[in-house]
Structure formats: C-alpha cells, structure tokens
Amino acid sequence: MRMRRNRRLGIALVAATALILSACGSDDGDDGGEATETEPAAETEESMAPTDESMAPSEGGTSGGGEAVAAIQESGTLRVGIKYDQPLFGVNTPSGVVGFDAEIATAIAESLGVEPEFQEAVSANREPFLQEDQVDLVAATYTINEERDEVVDFAGPYYVAGQDIMVATGNPEGIEGIESLNTADLTTCTVEGSTSLENLNEMAPDADVLTFDTYSKCADAMRQGRAAAVTTDNVILIGLIDEAPDDFELIDNPFTEEPYGIGVQEGSDLRCYVNGVLQTMYDDGSWAEAYEATVGSAGVSTPEPPELNNEGC
Amino acid sequence: MADALVEMRGVNKWYGELHALKEINLDIAEREVVVVIGPSGSGKSTLIRTINRLESIQEGEILIDGERLPEEGKGLAKLRADVGMVFQSFNLFAHKTILENVTLGPVKVKKMGKSDAEEKARGLLERVGVAHQADKYPAELSGGQQQRVAIARALAMEPKVMLFDEPTSALDPEMINEVLQVMLDLAEGGTTMVVVTHEMGFARSAADRMVFMDEGEIVEENDPESFYKGAKTERARDFLSKIITH
Amino acid sequence: MLEFYTEYWPDYWDGTLVTLRLVVISFTLACIIGVIIAGFRVSPVPPLRSFASGYVALFRNMPLLVVFFLAFFGVGDLGFVFGPFPTAAVALGMYTGAYMAEVIRSGINSVSSGQAEAGRAIGLGFIPLLREIVIPQAVRTVIAPIGNLFIANFKNTAVALTISVFELTYISRKLINETARTWLSLLGAAIIYTVILLFAGWVFRTLEDRYAIKR
Amino acid sequence: MSSVLIEELGPRGKARVRVATIISILVGIVLLALVVWKLGTAGQLTWAKWEPFTVWANLEFLLGGLVNTIKAALAAMVFSIIIGFFFALGRLSRNAVVRGLCVAYVEFFRSIPLLLAIFMGFFGLLAAGLDVGAFTSLVVALVAYNSAVLSEIFRAGIKSLDKGQTEAAQAIGMRYWPMMRIVILPQAVRRMVPAIVAQLATLSKDVSLGFVIGYEEVVRRGQGFPGFSDAGNFQAYVVVGVVYFILVWMLARLARYLELRQRTSSIGTGAAAIDGAGLEDIAALSEEADAAEVEAAAARGEDPDRVVDSQTRARGAAEEQGTKLNEARKGDRDRRRGRD
C-alpha cells in the first residue's frame, strides 16, 4: 500500500465516494469515515469504571461478564447496528434483518439471553453510534483497522473479506488471480474512486479498465461482454453472484485482507464476551452453519473461521 | 393583340377562401408602359407578382413573348431572367457589393464573362447615377440609391419587360424623385414596363395606359389623361378623390 | 502547488487529449446530423419534416446522461456493443446534432424571403440560389450560435465519464482519490477547460468578424 | 413550408413530393419494423421486463425521484435568481473592482463543465470540512453554475430595455436606485419570465447529473431500485427518459406559451391585426414563435439549452429592434397581399 501524507483524507474521500454507491448497497468495508475527528471519548461517563478493563471475563465467558454485559442483560435487549442494504450480510426485509451479520448478532443475543434489536448503520455512522451509546455493538461488514481501533474496540475477527475477482460462469478466460488481469487484452471492471480501483492499478497496472458508479453496472458490462472480470471486495461480489448465480462465479482467490470485527465501545467488557461467543460458534459448528445459510447460499465454499484476537481477554 | 409581350388570359387566384385575382385579362404590348393603381388590398401587387410567378395562379394562363409561363424548374428560371423586377424594399443582396449585385445575374444566369459583366454593370450604374458607389455594400447606401441599384440589377439581365412593385413607397420623400427620374428615362428609352405606384406625376408623364383594380378585378382601363379627368366607374372616381385631396 | 501540477501533468494531458478527440469527433458528427435534420425540417416532404421534429424534440427534452446510458447499456442489451469512446462520440454527436439542426434551420429562416425572391427574379435556380444567396447569408448569422454550441458540446464531454471515458473531468476526480488534494485536482481541470474555451471563443469571434455583413 | 428555400410547387414538384412522401413512409415503416424485430429477438419486449413499471410501489419510488429532481431544480432556481441578480448588478456596477470580480466569477463558471462544478460542490466542500450531503452539494453547484448564466440573462434583460426608459426616468429627476427599482427592474423582470422558465426546464435536465454524487433523482432511482431488477437497462432508461422528457417538455411548453403571450401583448398592433385572422394564422404565429424561441435558444449559447451568451443576446436585442421593424413592414405587406 502506498502511504501518502494525505492518506487519511484520501480514505475519507473514498468513503464519501463509497457512500454514493448506494444503488447496489455496496460498501467496500474499508471506509474510515469519521474516525479521525473523534477522540477516545466518553468512557468515563459510561458504565465501566477504569478497573473494568483489567477485569476481563473468563475465556469462553458465556457465563461471566462485566458491567456492560450485565446492563444488557438487565435491559433485555441487545442493540445492534447493522447494514440494511448489504446483500448476504445485512438486508432489511419485511420479515426482519437477515444475513451473516444478523446471524452472528442473534447468536450473541441468545447467549446473553436477550432479544436483538436492529438499527441501520451506514458506513459513516458506525463509530458515533458506539461512542454515543446508541447501540451496544456494531455488526456491519466492519473492517478492523488501526484508526478505528483507536476509538472503538473490536471483537473477532469473525470473517476475513478481501478483494477478489468475479468472472463469467465457467471462467472462460481462465483467470486465476490478480496477475491474470495484468494485460491489455482483458478488460476489468470496478467502481470509480474506490480502493478496489487503486489496488487494481497498483497490482495490475497494464489492465484495461472500465469504471462505473455502481457494481451492478459492472455486472451488466460483463453480461454484455464488455468486461472479462469484475474486481472488488468478495463480499460485494458474492452479493452480485447471489443475484445472478447462473451468470457469474467467484475465483475465490482474494489478494487483500479485510478482517471484519464486531465493534463495541472502547474498553467495554463486551468485547471479550463476544469473542467467547464466537469461539463457541466456531467450535460447535454454528458459525459454519450461519455462513452456509447466508453467504454460502451464493455458491461460495465455507472457509476456515479466522483466528480470534483475544489479546487482553 | 396576338403579338402582345405579356398576355394574361382568364387568370384566377385564391388565397384559401380569398379570391385574390378574379378573371384577369390583360395584354401589354412591347414598349408599352402600364401603371396599375388601386386601393390597398385590391390585388395589384399580386397581379404584378404573378407575371414572373413569384405568386402562382390557379386558373388561366400567362404568356410572355408568346411563350407560356412555365410552372417550375429550369424553364421558369430562364423565363424569369427575361422579366426584370424591382421590389418595394429593394432586396439588394446584403452580402454582396453593389457591383456584385449587378453582375451576379449576368455571370451566373447568362454565363457572361466576369470582366464583360463588370464593364456592363459599371455602365448601368453610371446610367442610374450610383457609379461611384460600386464597391460599397447595400447597407451603406441610402434608400434611393439602393432602389436605383436594384433597377440597374434588373436591367443587367436585358429583360423584355420590367416590373415595378411600388418602387417608391418605402422611400423617404426626398429620394422618391431620383428613382422616378430613372424610371422616366427608361420609359422614354422604350422599355416595356408594368408599374404599381400611386405616383400620379409619373403616371401622367410616362404611362401609356392606366389600369385600375379593386377587390381583385380590373375595374377600368384608360389612358392617363382621360382616367384622371373622368374615370368612368364610381369606384375609380371614389379612389381618385381620396388620393388627390392631399 | 506547482509540484502537484508538474507531477500529475501527464495524467491531465492524457485526459485533455481524450476530451479533445471526443469533442472533435462528436462535433463533426453533430454538424453532419444537423445539416441532414435541418434539411429534413425545411423539406416539402411531410414525413421527413415530422421525423426531424421528432428527432429534435427527443434530444432536446432528454438529459444527456440518459442518452449516454441508453446508448451504452440500453443499446448494449440489444446486442450492439461498442466501446465507451465510440459510444460517447456518437451519443454526444446525436445530442448536439439536434441543437445544430435548429441553429441551421433558424439560420436559413433568418434569410429574408425578399432576398430569395430577388434571387429568383433574376433567374437563379434552386441550387444557385442556395449557393449564392441563402447559404452565404445564413452562415453569417449562424457562426455565433454554432460557436456557442461548440462550447456546450465541449463542456458536455465531461458527462462521458459516466460511461467510463477517461476524459479530463474523470482525471481530476481520479486525482482526488489518489492524492486527496481535492481542490488542486479540480482546479487543474478547470484551468485547462478555461484555457481551451478562451482559445475557441477567440477563433469563433475571429470567424464572425471575418464574415460579418458590412453595415 | 416555413422556409425561404421552397417555392410554391408546380405540378411536377408536387408529384415528386408525393413520391418522396410515399418512399419515406415506406422506409420509415421498414426501419421501425427492424427496430421492433431487433427488440423482440433481443427479448426486450417481453412483458416481464416491463411489468415492474406497472407496479404502483415501484412507480411511487420512481416518482419520488421526480419529486427530488423538481425539488433540487426549484431550490437551485430560486437561489440562482437571487445570486445571479446581484452578479448582474455587479457587472453593471461603476466600481471597476466589483465589476472585475463579477466578470471573473461569471466567466469561470461559464467555462467549466457542470459536472466539474458538481464535483467541486461535493468533494470540494467535503475537503473543506463541509459534509453537507448530496442535495446541498448539488444545489450549491447548480447555483454557482446557473447564477453565472442567469446573471447574463438579467444583464441582457436590463440592457435591452429601451434607453428611452432610462432617459425618461432621469428626466423626471429619478436617481439610480429608485430608477432601477421602480422603472427598470419591474419591466426587465417581466420580460425575463419566459427565459427563466426555459432555464428551469434546462435545470431540471441538469439535475440528472446529481446522479454522480448519489443524489436520488430519477435516473438513480430508475436504475438502482431492487423492484426494477427484473427489468433490463433498456427498459429502465427508456422509462427514465420518458419521465424526464415529459417534465422538460412541459416546462419548455410553458416557457413558449409565456413568451408568445408576452409577444402578442407587446406587439399590440400586431395582435390587433391577428384579430381578424383565423386559427391557422395563430398556429402559424406560434410556429414562428417556435422558430424564434429556438433561434433564441441557439443564440443563447452555452449549453444548447443553457441559455444566453451575453454578446449574442445583446446583439440579438439590438437586431431584434431592426427585425421587428422589418417584420412589421413585411407583415403589413404580407397581410395586404393576403387580402389582395
């Protein structure tokens, strides 16, 4: 990755661009949005005393928990910030919010013995949501990165997304990875102003590129034979494939890593508690079940669950 | 009258419902000067414009020098070249110099050599008194000068007959005479002319015949003296009384 | 600031070339279409007149963006697939062509009927009349509006970025994303547009002066 | 045949026109059939692809986009008028600095693509720390752009007023501002109403460019709605095009109507002359107005639709005086001839 002086602002702008790409509900999960302008605020007013930080719940701690966990259990509901427009992860339907994120959040709520209550989170408001105690946790294709880690805490990661490539069914061009795209003979489509485009430009500088404002236009371009491949986060690609499983497939060879975490308030004991729940889900196979029921329904094989970051738990 | 230069036989014209020309029969002999008068809207302009088919007719026929006026195409263009026309609003070609205005017809229509055409044009401009303006553009000339150029332009085609459609009515009073003078000279020189005008002085001194029109028909024909002194019809007398009182 | 422009000049230059190519091709096309449609509109054949009016109305009342999307994705759905640049050039040419037709038509109509009558009266046929009287006079009245159309067409090339033509505005936007120097990136393009338009304006004014009718 | 080119046809000409008419109709039918056939074989005419546009919920969503389009166009119009007005006055100011600044502003925004202005309104403001959202960014950009255009309309409008008005006002001892307020502006504004409505039509078209910053106008809604996912691009853009067409067409129609009304009332004698005429003449007049409007639009420069190049306008105004006179004369003659 190029590190320019203004990288942060760049990311913010990319985020703004990404916001625009609402039509197919795309969000490349890399948006740092408002993160830069906030301070590690508010924690003193919150329920946790400084001592709580050291009082981590026990491993696998479904039984244990600090004040945050207790407060949730007392209130009877788990307030969850979630995407409403991210196919296969969080989609608001008449019968409630469905998707992989929703499954994970529901499992956490069940473990707590409370009801989940979903609120729409968009990329830009995820940190403020937590900081202002609007929600207890955020499960919204939320990429773990350093900037965010300064203002919120992450449980997980529970899924590793990454930039991948979508091709026509049967992969007629025999595209194996990003290297295959590095030729003027193949046209690759992505969204203008996205990090995906930057990655493509860096890793396959000779590629012939088409850019549009939405990924669904890229899908159309592929259908019309204008492009041989579409590249962006696999999460978005899987969404596209889900809409047209006969037309497209994923090469399933991601070349970047975007670990998704469950966002909680800075210093909250909920983080280690969630890690415990996730570990349980890994172990008893319910994580894989949830994956197959949602993301996997688009015909993507179930990966190994990523290793949890239990530092400080 | 079989050898008349212009013959109109049973000409009828309608504008939609409006019967603009009613059963016109008119012969104009060679070297004859005919002045057409009549109240506004009487059809005199329409009449003169049918002679070179700037207006079409629905019934009847018009012959020029014994030849039936073609309705379209090359034949019509050729015949028009033999009929000179001078408009009320001059209609000089705004993008061409005075000289070019006069040479355009001879060069493009009569395929005359350019230098011959220019020589001839200068002669004509001399004759109408605007020779020193030859290289200017129309907009730089006064109305009277423009109209004289327009006459020269028509003459350059050596037409068999000249049509004048109210040539002086768009002019300021002090310029009317310079144009009328040119027309008088033409008349004296033996040019066949059909003139729509209210200039009685010109009519008296130049016209061989007066034609009075009203409501699309020819009401009366006479020589100028008798016409002005004692028009036969009520309508003509009424019209004359209106234009003579002031 | 200067380093920014020296560093990214190659990007701007590429974008400028694309923009210029696009405007030259689309405007040439617009002129051809304009003449044909204007000819239809003044022709005595009723179906041709109706077709021309329909064409003009269609393109004048639709946003250029929709024209581009229809030409690219819509026509693509019918199985006619052309690259972004050719699509943009044709779509823009057809769009500007509608306006061009109106300019030409009004130019022809601005020639007073007296001029045409005078030409007929000295025996000019249809073609000579057109060549000697109508066209020379129409050209004079039409230069200024055509100049304006050119400017509009030039600015409208920016819309082509929506169908993946990497022209000047696209480049400035790309530089925003790459460098995060938002205002510098945008201003660079704005300056290039302004300079080219100043030049185009000068050309058209010169033409106009040369062909102006002396009064 | 409203053209100087075409003479009244003779019998041979009429026959040719008849033949040409038949041939062109046949060619038209063949072309149309080809298009329909192609659409059919490409599967674009199947009902399933059009059905989403008959579902009320979907249409409601799309019409919501139309409301957004109109909202942005109106907001931009109001602010453009206010700001454009001040820039017009600024350009007529006697202070060279004010004048210079106004000229620079107007010329800058008249020489960049609207799309670039929209990026400035969105990314530019964002970079300056103003996260104002798509609607505000779009309106800001449209206002920056259109106030420049409108200020030129205003300036031309003010300048085109008969100098006699100014002189008369000065003669009765009015000073600059009262004169502007009481005499010049009311007349100028009245005269500019049709141009403003025409500009509103153009603005509505331009709102579509808000698409690029995610503003939910008709195009974005038409292509992105899950309810339309059964429909193809072709259908979506055709429907979006139709929606825009109707909106812009109606506004253009209104502008033309206003202009026509103003003309007839301002010509006066001309209107009186029309009194006796039948419907055809009025149709002819509107045809003429149509042509004039187009001419104006063409002269108006900038975007084909985007109105008014100052010079052409000013010159147009000057010429209009001349042509009006000529037309009055010509009209007079024509009418006389007509009654002949």
Side-chain angles (χ1 to χ4, degrees):
Chain A
M1 279 244 176
R2 255 181 314 188
M3 286 303 286
R4 285 186 204 260
R5 204 162 54 82
N6 279 305
R7 182 74 198 169
R8 275 187 167 194
L9 187 47
I11 290 171
L13 287 164
V14 167
T17 311
L19 249 180
I20 298 167
L21 314 174
S22 54
C24 68
S26 61
D27 164 25
D28 46 15
D30 182 37
D31 26 27
E34 322 290 297
T36 50
E37 64 192 39
T38 44
E39 300 161 35
E43 61 197 69
T44 45
E45 297 172 29
E46 299 298 325
S47 53
M48 48 202 128
T51 47
D52 284 337
E53 280 181 16
S54 53
M55 280 178 54
S58 59
E59 212 133 306
T62 33
S63 54
E67 285 187 19
V69 171
I72 292 163
Q73 281 168 333
E74 193 165 318
S75 72
T77 54
L78 178 70
R79 297 167 302 161
V80 178
I82 195 165
K83 288 282 180 69
Y84 275 12
D85 57 358
Q86 182 67 67
L88 305 173
F89 279 79
V91 180
N92 194 17
T93 69
S95 52
V97 183
V98 298
F100 190 53
D101 283 340
E103 296 282 335
I104 299 285
T106 307
I108 296 168
E110 268 171 21
S111 154
L112 285 163
V114 298
E115 287 294 312
E117 180 194 292
F118 293 113
Q119 294 181 36
E120 182 176 15
V122 297
S123 298
N125 74 2
R126 290 176 298 199
E127 291 87 28
F129 251 33
L130 288 169
Q131 289 168 330
E132 288 156 24
D133 196 24
Q134 299 281 309
V135 292
D136 298 311
L137 57 83
V138 167
T141 59
Y142 201 7
T143 304
I144 300 171
N145 67 30
E146 278 178 30
E147 281 168 28
R148 290 172 181 158
D149 214 7
E150 281 172 23
V151 290
V152 300
D153 275 358
F154 285 103
Y158 62 98
Y159 178 75
V160 180
Q163 188 167 342
D164 209 333
I165 297 163
M166 181 177 89
V167 295
T169 310
N171 197 359
E173 303 285 348
I175 294 163
E176 286 166 359
I178 182 73
E179 318 76 41
S180 317
L181 299 180
N182 194 18
T183 161
D185 297 337
L186 289 181
T187 304
T188 306
C189 189
T190 187
V191 161
E192 52 204 22
S194 63
T195 30
S196 305
L197 176 59
E198 281 192 53
N199 291 338
L200 179 67
N201 282 340
E202 264 167 45
M203 300 169 83
D206 291 335
D208 183 42
V209 180
L210 271 184
T211 67
F212 298 107
D213 59 308
T214 63
Y215 287 106
S216 57
K217 283 212 179 76
C218 276
D220 287 332
M222 264 185 79
R223 275 195 201 97
Q224 295 181 356
R226 297 175 185 280
V230 177
T231 179
T232 184
D233 288 3
N234 51 4
V235 168
I236 294 166
L237 295 177
I238 292 166
L240 290 174
I241 293 167
D242 188 43
E243 279 172 21
D246 296 341
D247 297 353
F248 309 124
E249 67 182 45
L250 197 68
I251 67 162
D252 213 358
N253 180 12
F255 49 93
T256 62
E257 284 199 351
E258 306 268 355
Y260 285 175
I262 305 285
V264 298
Q265 285 160 14
E266 176 89 359
S268 169
D269 52 287
L270 193 56
R271 169 174 165 254
C272 290
Y273 181 88
V274 169
N275 269 355
V277 177
L278 288 172
Q279 190 60 54
T280 313
M281 290 180 77
Y282 288 3
D283 297 341
D284 66 9
S286 56
W287 181 89
E289 252 171 57
Y291 187 90
E292 278 152 22
T294 55
V295 183
S297 70
V300 185
S301 59
T302 310
E304 280 296 305
E307 195 171 325
L308 298 171
N309 174 11
N310 277 320
E311 201 183 313
C313 287
Chain B
M1 286 280 246
D3 54 347
L5 194 59
V6 177
E7 298 169 58
M8 302 179 82
R9 301 251 170 276
V11 170
N12 277 289
K13 178 173 181 61
W14 287 266
Y15 288 108
E17 290 291 289
L18 195 82
H19 200 166
L21 292 178
K22 295 175 186 160
E23 208 48 37
I24 301 290
N25 288 294
L26 182 68
D27 288 351
I28 293 149
E30 210 174 330
R31 303 177 73 89
E32 193 181 17
V33 176
V34 174
V35 168
V36 183
I37 66 169
S40 172
S42 60
K44 51 195 193 304
S45 265
T46 307
L47 174 89
I48 200 171
R49 289 166 59 86
T50 59
I51 297 177
N52 62 354
R53 209 179 179 277
L54 288 178
E55 301 285 350
S56 65
I57 57 173
Q58 277 94 34
E59 268 177 26
E61 59 176 355
I62 298 172
L63 292 94
I64 294 181
D65 210 3
E67 215 179 310
R68 197 168 191 275
L69 185 64
E71 283 165 299
E72 58 202 321
K74 288 209 174 72
L76 176 61
K78 191 163 166 290
L79 216 125
R80 276 173 174 165
D82 287 341
V83 180
M85 176 115 189
V86 175
F87 299 89
Q88 178 181 0
S89 49
F90 332 136
N91 292 347
L92 291 182
F93 304 130
H95 61 300
K96 292 193 179 291
T97 63
I98 298 307
L99 191 66
E100 287 166 348
N101 260 278
V102 182
T103 56
L104 182 72
V107 172
K108 294 292 169 189
V109 179
K110 297 211 147 169
K111 310 294 177 202
M112 192 186 270
K114 198 159 183 264
S115 52
D116 291 349
E118 279 184 10
E119 198 186 315
K120 184 175 177 192
R122 285 188 197 278
L124 284 167
L125 289 173
E126 188 80 45
R127 195 165 139 197
V128 299
V130 285
H132 54 291
Q133 315 276 26
D135 295 322
K136 290 190 179 167
Y137 284 88
E140 296 171 284
L141 269 59
S142 75
Q145 290 170 325
Q146 286 192 52
Q147 194 60 301
R148 283 183 282 155
V149 174
I151 295 172
R153 177 176 69 182
L155 289 174
M157 300 301 291
E158 297 176 344
K160 292 174 181 161
V161 55
M162 286 282 285
L163 310 174
F164 293 83
D165 186 3
E166 304 204 31
T168 56
S169 48
L171 293 175
D172 291 336
E174 74 270 21
M175 295 172 180
I176 290 177
N177 277 333
E178 61 190 51
V179 173
L180 288 180
Q181 191 55 52
V182 171
M183 290 167 63
L184 275 174
D185 291 347
L186 281 180
E188 271 162 30
T191 311
T192 313
M193 292 163 68
V194 184
V195 186
V196 172
T197 185
H198 290 165
E199 295 295 335
M200 293 205 307
F202 171 81
R204 280 194 156 144
S205 47
D208 297 312
R209 186 151 49 112
M210 302 293 294
V211 171
F212 175 72
M213 287 186 73
D214 194 13
E215 293 181 350
E217 53 193 352
I218 294 177
V219 178
E220 189 171 343
E221 285 180 70
N222 213 331
D223 68 278
E225 278 314 302
S226 341
F227 180 74
Y228 283 118
K229 288 223 174 78
K232 287 173 280 190
T233 58
E234 180 63 32
R235 279 196 273 180
R237 276 198 299 277
D238 185 46
F239 174 72
L240 281 173
S241 74
K242 275 178 189 152
I243 61 168
I244 288 170
T245 45
H246 40 248
Chain C
M1 181 170 163
L2 267 181
E3 314 91 76
F4 179 87
Y5 290 124
T6 44
E7 186 178 350
Y8 294 106
W9 171 246
D11 295 61
Y12 280 121
W13 178 240
D14 288 348
T16 306
L17 284 183
V18 173
T19 294
L20 288 177
R21 265 211 308 275
L22 188 54
V23 75
V24 167
I25 296 174
S26 61
F27 199 68
T28 308
L29 198 62
C31 290
I32 295 168
I33 291 174
V35 168
I36 294 171
I37 296 292
F40 281 8
R41 273 206 99 166
V42 299
S43 95
V45 183
L48 294 184
R49 282 209 305 276
S50 314
F51 172 79
S53 324
Y55 180 92
V56 171
L58 185 71
F59 283 96
R60 280 184 48 182
N61 293 314
M62 256 218 283
L64 181 58
L65 182 72
V66 177
V67 175
F68 272 157
F69 281 161
L70 258 178
F72 196 74
F73 292 110
V75 173
D77 271 359
L78 302 189
F80 301 105
V81 174
F82 303 98
F85 186 88
T87 307
V90 172
L92 189 53
M94 289 176 77
Y95 183 82
T96 310
Y99 291 88
M100 184 68 78
E102 288 305 89
V103 167
I104 293 173
R105 184 180 79 132
S106 68
I108 290 171
N109 285 344
S110 75
V111 179
S112 78
S113 56
Q115 295 284 316
E117 276 183 358
R120 286 187 193 118
I122 60 168
L124 293 176
F126 181 75
I127 299 293
L129 183 72
L130 208 59
R131 200 177 48 219
E132 297 294 329
I133 312 296
V134 177
I135 290 177
Q137 292 201 21
V139 161
R140 282 147 222 252
T141 53
V142 140
I143 287 177
I146 285 185
N148 290 325
L149 267 190
F150 177 84
I151 290 168
N153 187 80
F154 178 70
K155 295 200 292 183
N156 277 337
T157 55
V159 182
L161 71 83
T162 54
I163 56 167
S164 200
V165 174
F166 301 159
E167 47 67 66
L168 192 49
T169 303
Y170 178 91
I171 296 294
S172 75
R173 192 202 157 142
K174 188 190 88 167
L175 290 178
I176 293 177
N177 281 311
E178 282 182 10
T179 68
R181 312 277 291 266
T182 307
W183 281 102
L184 282 185
S185 307
L186 290 169
L187 271 180
I191 290 167
I192 297 174
Y193 278 117
T194 310
V195 167
I196 295 176
L197 278 193
L198 282 177
F199 176 71
W202 174 80
V203 168
F204 277 102
R205 266 196 308 282
T206 311
L207 277 177
E208 218 181 319
D209 288 347
R210 176 174 297 179
Y211 286 102
I213 298 178
K214 290 218 175 102
R215 286 177 198 272
Chain D
M1 272 145 279
S2 59
S3 167
V4 297
L5 281 180
I6 311 296
E7 264 192 277
E8 226 175 302
L9 294 164
R12 221 164 1 116
K14 279 180 188 155
R16 275 193 206 142
V17 166
R18 263 196 302 278
V19 171
T21 302
I22 291 166
I23 290 176
S24 57
I25 286 177
L26 286 178
V27 170
I29 289 173
V30 169
L31 285 179
L32 200 68
L34 270 176
V35 170
V36 171
W37 176 76
K38 189 69 210 171
L39 283 172
T41 53
Q44 299 302 326
L45 294 178
T46 50
W47 177 238
K49 292 210 166 196
W50 294 95
E51 202 194 355
F53 301 103
T54 60
V55 177
W56 173 242
N58 292 351
L59 283 180
E60 210 175 5
F61 181 76
L62 199 62
L63 292 179
L66 183 63
V67 170
N68 286 344
T69 298
I70 295 171
K71 229 164 38 185
L74 278 179
M77 196 69 210
V78 169
F79 288 108
S80 300
I81 288 174
I82 297 169
I83 294 173
F85 173 72
F86 281 106
F87 276 109
L89 287 186
R91 276 194 90 161
L92 296 169
S93 156
R94 277 162 288 189
N95 181 327
V97 177
V98 173
R99 218 165 46 226
L101 285 175
C102 292
V103 169
Y105 172 89
V106 169
E107 291 306 320
F108 178 76
F109 278 104
R110 272 157 37 96
S111 64
I112 62 168
L114 178 57
L115 211 50
L116 198 62
I118 291 175
F119 285 154
M120 287 180 178
F122 191 74
F123 296 115
L125 289 186
L126 204 62
L130 294 168
D131 184 3
V132 292
F135 176 79
T136 313
S137 321
L138 176 63
V139 170
V140 165
L142 286 172
V143 167
Y145 195 85
N146 284 283
S147 61
V149 175
L150 278 175
S151 84
E152 290 299 278
I153 300 183
F154 293 155
R155 198 170 62 109
I158 293 170
K159 276 192 146 178
S160 76
L161 275 180
D162 191 359
K163 213 176 163 217
Q165 295 289 328
T166 322
E167 281 170 359
Q170 281 164 345
I172 58 168
M174 276 186 165
R175 302 198 44 194
Y176 183 75
W177 278 108
M179 175 185 83
M180 272 296 187
R181 201 167 38 108
I182 298 168
V183 181
I184 305 293
L185 292 181
Q187 296 190 56
V189 166
R190 254 194 51 195
R191 200 171 285 198
M192 287 175 306
V193 167
I196 288 174
V197 176
Q199 185 65 12
L200 191 63
T202 305
L203 245 169
S204 315
K205 253 167 91 168
D206 288 345
V207 170
S208 68
L209 293 179
F211 174 91
V212 298
I213 55 164
Y215 185 61
E216 294 241 336
E217 44 68 61
V218 183
V219 183
R220 182 157 287 287
R221 287 214 161 178
Q223 73 169 34
F225 188 49
F228 299 146
S229 58
D230 287 340
N233 294 300
F234 181 76
Q235 290 75 16
Y237 294 125
V238 165
V239 170
V240 164
V242 168
V243 171
Y244 260 112
F245 184 95
I246 292 171
L247 173 68
V248 178
W249 182 81
M250 284 194 330
L251 284 171
R253 205 78 207 161
L254 177 67
R256 190 175 308 164
Y257 167 77
L258 290 173
E259 188 159 335
L260 191 67
R261 217 180 53 167
Q262 209 168 70
R263 272 175 180 234
T264 41
S265 69
S266 68
I267 295 173
T269 50
I274 295 167
D275 263 0
L279 266 175
E280 280 165 44
D281 295 86
I282 290 173
L285 192 84
S286 83
E287 174 85 29
E288 192 188 65
D290 184 356
E293 181 245 2
V294 164
E295 237 163 281
R300 269 177 282 183
E302 286 285 281
D303 194 304
D305 2 285
R306 187 150 306 108
V307 203
V308 174
D309 173 346
S310 60
Q311 297 151 336
T312 13
R313 252 279 152 130
R315 194 176 40 227
E319 271 171 6
E320 204 179 337
Q321 300 284 342
T323 27
K324 248 186 199 161
L325 210 77
N326 276 337
E327 267 173 5
R329 272 197 205 133
K330 198 183 92 191
D332 201 41
R333 208 188 57 210
D334 288 348
R335 240 172 291 122
R336 209 166 52 224
R337 202 192 302 148
R339 241 180 280 131
D340 265 16

